[in-house]
Amino acid sequence: MTNLILLLASYLIGGIPSGYLITKKLKGFDIRNYGSGNPGAANVYRTVGKWAGISTFLCDAFKGALAVEMAKYFAPSSEYMPLICGFVAICGHMWTIYLKFRGGKGVATSAGVFGALLPIPTAIAFASFVIVVWKTGRISPGSILAAIVLPIASFLIGDYPLGYSLVCTVVGIIVIYKHIPNIKRMLNKSELAFEDGAKKNANK
C-alpha cells in the first residue's frame, strides 16, 4: 500500500504544471498557446522572460528530486523504489493529468530525478547542456545532447545499479523523441533561439 501511495503521489507531484502556473500568475495567459506551445522551462523563458523560465526549471527539477527523496524516506529498504518513483514523476510531467495529458518534455524533471540518483553523471550531462546552449544559443540541442550523455556517463562512471542506467537510457530516448519537432526545425534552420525572446519580454 505504501508503494502504491508513493507512485500516485509521484505522478501527481510530477504533473504539477509549473510553467503553466507561473505564466498564468505573471501574464494571465496559457503558455501552451504561445511560442512552441510547450509548457516547459524553455518556452516560458522565451515567451515570458528569463526569471520565469529559470523559476520553471527549478520548480520542475524540484518535483523530480522530491519524488525520489520521498521514496528514499518512506521505502528505505527498497533499492529501486526511488528510481521507479522518479520515473513516474517524469511521466507525470510529460503527460500531466492537470492539463489533459499535455505536458513538457521532461528535461528539468529528469535533471531533478537523476541529480538525486546519479549526481556525478547528471553533473556531466548538465555541463554538456550548458556548453551547447552557450555555443548555439538554443536550448533544444543542449537538451538532446544531455539526454545522450547522461545514460553513457551512468554506465561508465560510478558504481550504480544497472537498472538505474537502463531507466536513464529509456528516459533519454523518450526525451529525444519529444524533441523530434525541434530536430526538424533545426534541420531546416528554423529552430527558435531563446535569448532574444527573453530579452524582448524583459524589456516590456
Side-chain angles (χ1 to χ4, degrees):
M1 182 60 71
T2 298
N3 288 347
L4 289 175
I5 293 173
L6 282 171
L7 291 173
L8 178 60
S10 296
Y11 176 79
L12 294 176
I13 290 171
I16 296 172
S18 307
Y20 173 86
L21 294 173
I22 289 171
T23 302
K24 271 286 189 181
K25 178 67 175 178
L26 293 177
K27 298 293 185 179
F29 59 72
D30 187 338
I31 187 63
R32 295 172 298 171
N33 296 327
Y34 292 82
S36 67
N38 188 273
N43 195 37
V44 173
Y45 190 107
R46 283 191 303 264
T47 306
V48 181
K50 177 171 67 174
W51 295 113
I54 292 173
S55 297
T56 298
F57 182 91
L58 293 175
C59 289
D60 286 344
F62 177 76
K63 295 186 306 186
L66 179 60
V68 171
E69 295 304 324
M70 281 196 318
K72 288 180 179 179
Y73 183 82
F74 290 106
S77 62
S78 175
E79 181 178 34
Y80 281 99
M81 201 60 196
L83 175 66
I84 296 169
C85 285
F87 179 75
V88 169
I90 294 169
C91 291
H93 175 81
M94 291 178 170
W95 299 284
T96 171
I97 193 172
Y98 305 116
L99 299 179
K100 299 180 180 180
F101 303 100
R102 182 183 171 187
K105 295 175 181 175
V107 175
T109 306
S110 296
V113 168
F114 293 112
L117 295 171
L118 310 167
I120 296 176
T122 302
I124 294 171
F126 185 73
S128 69
F129 168 84
V130 170
I131 291 170
V132 171
V133 172
W134 176 57
K135 289 290 186 180
T136 65
R138 289 164 172 78
I139 291 179
S140 53
S143 300
I144 292 167
L145 181 62
I148 295 170
V149 169
L150 180 56
I152 293 173
S154 71
F155 276 109
L156 298 178
I157 299 171
D159 187 23
Y160 301 109
L162 178 60
Y164 280 45
S165 296
L166 293 176
V167 171
C168 188
T169 302
V170 171
V171 171
I173 292 171
I174 296 172
V175 168
I176 293 171
Y177 171 77
K178 298 276 280 186
H179 278 83
I180 287 177
N182 303 84
I183 295 171
K184 291 179 178 178
R185 288 195 295 267
M186 283 189 283
L187 290 174
N188 62 31
K189 298 182 180 180
S190 63
E191 175 67 342
L192 299 169
F194 73 94
E195 194 61 48
D196 290 341
K199 288 178 179 177
K200 178 183 69 178
N201 283 285
N203 293 328
K204 284 184 177 180

